[in-house]
Amino acid sequence: MDRPAKLSLDERMTYKRTLDLNQHREPMLAILRTVIDRAGMTSDDINRLVKIHARTLGIMYGRDELIAAYRHFAASGDLPAFDPAVIERLRVKPIRTSSGVTPVTVLTKPFPCPGECIFCPNDVRMPKSYLSDEPGAQRAEQNSFDPYLQTYTRLQAFYNTGHPTDKIEIIVLGGTWSFYPETYQIWFIKRIFDALHDFGVQHDRRPEVEAALKSVSQLHPEHNTANVIIHGADMAQTYNQAVQRVYESEMARSRQIAAKVAETERSPVDEYATWEELEAAHRFNETAPCRCVGLVIETRPDHISEEEVLRVRRLGCTKVQIGFQSLNDDVLRKNKRGHTVAATRRAVKLLRQAGFKIHAHWMPNLYGSSPDLDIDDYTRMFADPDFRPDELKIYPCSLIDSAELMRFYEAGLWQPYTHDELLRVLTECFQRTPEYCRLTRVIRDIPGTDIVVGNKATNFRQIVEDELKHRGIKGSDIRAREVRLRSVTPDQLERDELRYATSAGEEVFLQYITQDRAIAGFLRLSLPDPDLAPLTDELVQAAIIREVHVYGQAVDIGESSAGRAQHAGLGTALIERAAEIAREHGCAKLAVISAIGTRGYYRKRGFEDGKLYQVRTL
Ligand code: SF4
C-alpha cells in the first residue's frame, strides 16, 4: 500500500509502512547515491528526485523510508560509510532540532486541577487545559497517557525521520504537575527514564506495557470511551467533577497501588516508584546513549513553595513552565485564576533562587483586560525585577466551547480582539521583549475547529514579524536571533554581557553573538542577593548557572558537525567567564542546575556532584 498523498508531519511521523528494503534495493540505492554525491541538495531537490523515481516505480518513498534504507545500506557496505550529514539532508524538517536538542513532549493523565480558570478548556478525555484533537494530545491518548509508551514511541518517530535521539529535552505537560500525587510523579519520571534507556539499547518493551495497560487501565484506548462533553455556557458540571466520575475506576486503581507497595513484584503500569528507584534510573542515564539534557514540568504559581522547588529539583527537573497569565490582580480575579500577582512574584523568586529556568505563559485578551492594559501588563513583566522570565509563551485567549468563558461571551461581557487589535498588542510585545528572553510560542496551536470565535491564524508570529519588518524593526528576543542552521566560526563571534536585577539578586546573561547580534550561544548566571538565605546548604555562597545553550544542529554525542556553532567550544568559554564573574562577585562556589544527561559534561569542567546541584569551588 502506498503512502497517502497528503499527511501532516505528525501523521508522517507515526505512519507505518514496512518496506522490504532488499526488494527496493536498486531504486533506493540510486536515490541515495545521488543524495550522497550532491552535498548541496535541498529538500525540494530530494522531493523532485523521489518523484522522478516514483513515475517509473509506481511507489513514492517517504523520507523515513529513505533514512531507514540509508542506515541499512551504509551498514551493509552497499554505500560509503555512514555520514550524519546525509541524514541531515534526508530529514524533512531539520529546524525541529536545530536548537541543539530533540524535544519530547509527554502528557500526564486526565486528573483534577486546583484551578478554575474560566478560559481553560474542559476536555474530560485530557489533562486539564488540553484538547483531544491537538496532535500531541492525540499521541498521548493513543498511548494511554503512559509515560513509557509516549516517550518510546516519540523517540522512535524522531529516529525514523532522521532526527538525533541522543540529547533529549523532556517536556511534561498537563494540568498542574504539583497537584498529582507524589508517587505518580516519581513513577512518571522514572518511566520516562526507563524508556530513554530502553530506546537507547533498542530494547522495545512497549508490547509488555501495552498488554498490561489493556488488562488494567481505563485509559487504554479500547476502554477509554468517555464521551462527556462539558459546555462552558452552562457548566452543569466542572472538569474536576466529571473527570473524577468518568475515571473513577482509574482513580481507584491509582489509590490501590499504594496498598501494593509492600509487594516485591510490581507491574510497569503500577503508578508507583520510590525516590531511590528514580535516582538509580538517573544514574543510569548519565552515560546512556539517549540522555535527558533537560526536564520541564508545568505548574501554577500558588503551588510553588521552598519545599516544592527542591522536590521538583530532586525529580531531575531543570525548567518550570509557570502560568503568569496576567500581572493584574483584577484580571486574575475576574478569570477565577485563584491566586494573586503576589503568588507569582513569590514563585518566580523561589524558582530563581533554586536556579530553575523560568518559562512563563502569559495571556492577552483575558476577560477584564483590554489591548492597552495588556501592553501595560507586558511592559511590567520585563520592567519589574520580580518577573523577567527567561522564556515566554504568549497565548492570546481563545474561546473554546467547553470553557466557562462562553457564558461571559454569550452575555456580551467578553469579545475576542479583532485582527488589528491583536496585531497591535503583539507588535508592541515583540518590541518590548529583551534580548535575554526567548519567545517560544506566540498563539497556542489550537485546531481552528475548536475555536468558537476570534483569531484562528496559527502563523500570527509570522504576521507580527512581517509587520515589524515592514516598519524596519528587527526582533530582539533570543528566538529571533538564533543562528539556527547557519555556520559560524569563532572569529565571527564576540562575547556580550547583559546584566539585570531580579528579586533573587543579579542576573548576568552572557551571549556569544555575531556583528548583527545573531546568537550562537548563551549562559544564564544568577548572582545571589547576599541578604537572602539560600534554599539549601549546597547553594551557600554560590552563584548558579541556570542554563548553558549553544546553537547548531543537534549531532550525536561524540560526533562533530563541521562549522556548526555547537562544537566551537562556546560552552566551555561561557562557563569559564561565568566562574570569573562569580569570583568577582565574592562567591565561593559556582553551582549548576545540571540535567541528568549533562552531569558528565560538567564533571569534565571541574564540577563535583552534590545532592541536587553540581558545584565547583572557586
Ligand atoms: S491552573 Fe492551568 S490547567 Fe488548571 S484550570 Fe487554570 S489554566 Fe487550566
Side-chain angles (χ1 to χ4, degrees), residues 528-560:
D529 178 343
D531 294 335
L532 282 177
L535 294 180
T536 79
D537 289 349
E538 283 177 79
L539 297 179
V540 172
Q541 283 210 307
I544 312 176
I545 294 178
R546 296 190 302 118
E547 182 171 18
V548 180
H549 201 115
V550 178
Y551 288 96
Q553 183 74 49
V555 291
D556 288 343
I557 289 169
E559 286 173 359
S560 67

Side-chain angles (χ1 to χ4, degrees), residues 95 146 211 218 229 437 533 594:
I95 211 71
D146 180 83
Q218 195 188 349
I229 309 281
C437 182
S594 46

Side-chain angles (χ1 to χ4, degrees), residues 120 278 304 311 318 523 536 567 570 606:
C120 187
L278 173 64
I304 293 292
R311 204 185 59 78
T318 53
L523 181 148
T536 79
H567 285 263
L570 292 188

Side-chain angles (χ1 to χ4, degrees), residues 28 165 184 186 375 432 472 516:
M28 285 277 198
T165 51
Y184 176 81
I186 300 171
I375 293 167
R432 286 164 165 75
D516 58 355

Side-chain angles (χ1 to χ4, degrees), residues 24 52 69 80-81 124 126 201 209 218 221 266 315 333 361 365 384 468 487 519 527 574 588 607:
H24 292 263
I52 291 167
V124 178
M126 289 290 128
V201 295
V209 176
Q218 195 188 349
R266 237 183 281 143
L315 291 168
R333 187 180 48 76
H361 297 187
N365 200 186
D384 188 328
L468 289 172
S487 285
I519 186 166
L527 300 170
L574 286 163
F607 290 79

Side-chain angles (χ1 to χ4, degrees), residues 180-427:
Y180 285 82
E182 182 176 89
T183 47
Y184 176 81
Q185 294 182 27
I186 300 171
W187 166 81
F188 197 89
I189 302 295
K190 178 183 178 289
R191 291 300 289 157
I192 290 172
F193 276 88
D194 288 346
L196 290 175
H197 173 253
D198 285 353
F199 182 80
V201 295
Q202 284 295 292
H203 186 162
D204 187 353
R205 295 180 212 250
R206 283 179 295 173
E208 178 196 334
V209 176
E210 166 79 22
L213 284 163
K214 195 172 170 184
S215 74
V216 299
S217 175
Q218 195 188 349
L219 295 172
H220 187 275
E222 284 186 21
H223 314 307
N224 192 2
T225 51
N227 63 353
V228 176
I229 309 281
I230 295 178
H231 293 291
D234 57 37
M235 287 301 287
Q237 58 185 331
T238 65
Y239 171 90
N240 288 357
Q241 288 165 341
V243 86
Q244 291 189 79
R245 190 170 49 74
V246 169
Y247 293 109
E248 197 180 349
S249 67
E250 183 62 20
M251 304 265 174
R253 186 176 80 84
S254 298
R255 281 195 301 274
Q256 284 156 10
I257 286 159
K260 289 180 63 179
V261 172
E263 293 178 18
T264 47
E265 279 292 306
R266 237 183 281 143
S267 151
V269 300
D270 285 346
E271 295 167 358
Y272 183 87
T274 63
W275 281 109
E276 291 68 30
E277 287 165 345
L278 173 64
E279 282 157 2
H282 282 169
R283 282 192 294 279
F284 224 94
N285 191 254
E286 288 177 11
T287 51
C290 194
R291 287 182 215 169
C292 172
V293 299
L295 175 59
V296 190
I297 56 111
E298 64 176 345
T299 194
R300 285 166 54 92
D302 54 343
H303 276 253
I304 293 292
S305 62
E306 278 190 31
E307 193 189 18
E308 181 63 4
V309 288
L310 297 177
R311 204 185 59 78
V312 166
R313 176 63 197 138
R314 194 174 174 195
L315 291 168
C317 183
T318 53
K319 186 194 294 183
V320 172
Q321 291 201 31
I322 184 160
F324 289 6
Q325 316 314 7
S326 171
L327 301 176
N328 178 323
D329 274 332
D330 185 46
V331 173
L332 290 178
R333 187 180 48 76
K334 283 185 167 142
N335 287 272
K336 300 191 186 170
R337 183 71 188 149
H339 68 79
T340 59
V341 179
T344 308
R345 290 182 195 276
R346 186 166 173 274
V348 170
K349 185 174 178 179
L350 286 170
L351 289 170
R352 211 184 277 283
Q353 276 188 278
F356 284 100
K357 289 172 275 291
I358 298 163
H359 189 173
H361 297 187
W362 177 78
M363 299 181 72
N365 200 186
L366 285 175
Y367 168 52
S369 195
S370 68
D372 286 336
L373 279 176
D374 283 339
I375 293 167
D376 285 352
D377 213 60
Y378 196 89
T379 308
R380 191 173 322 123
M381 186 153 37
F382 292 104
D384 188 328
D386 285 1
F387 306 114
R388 301 185 166 168
D390 304 311
E391 296 181 20
L392 185 65
K393 284 181 180 168
I394 302 180
Y395 283 163
C397 184
S398 297
L399 183 63
I400 309 296
D401 182 72
S402 64
E404 194 185 350
L405 184 62
M406 276 298 287
R407 281 205 289 127
F408 297 79
Y409 170 66
E410 289 185 354
L413 297 168
W414 178 88
Q415 280 290 328
Y417 290 167
T418 62
H419 176 93
D420 287 352
E421 283 172 330
L422 189 56
L423 184 60
R424 179 166 81 84
V425 171
L426 294 182
T427 47

Side-chain angles (χ1 to χ4, degrees), residues 113-122 127-130 174-176 299-300 325 336-337 363:
C113 176
E116 294 177 355
C117 315
I118 64 169
F119 49 80
C120 187
N122 290 299
K128 187 76 167 99
S129 101
Y130 289 86
T176 296
T299 194
R300 285 166 54 92
Q325 316 314 7
K336 300 191 186 170
R337 183 71 188 149
M363 299 181 72

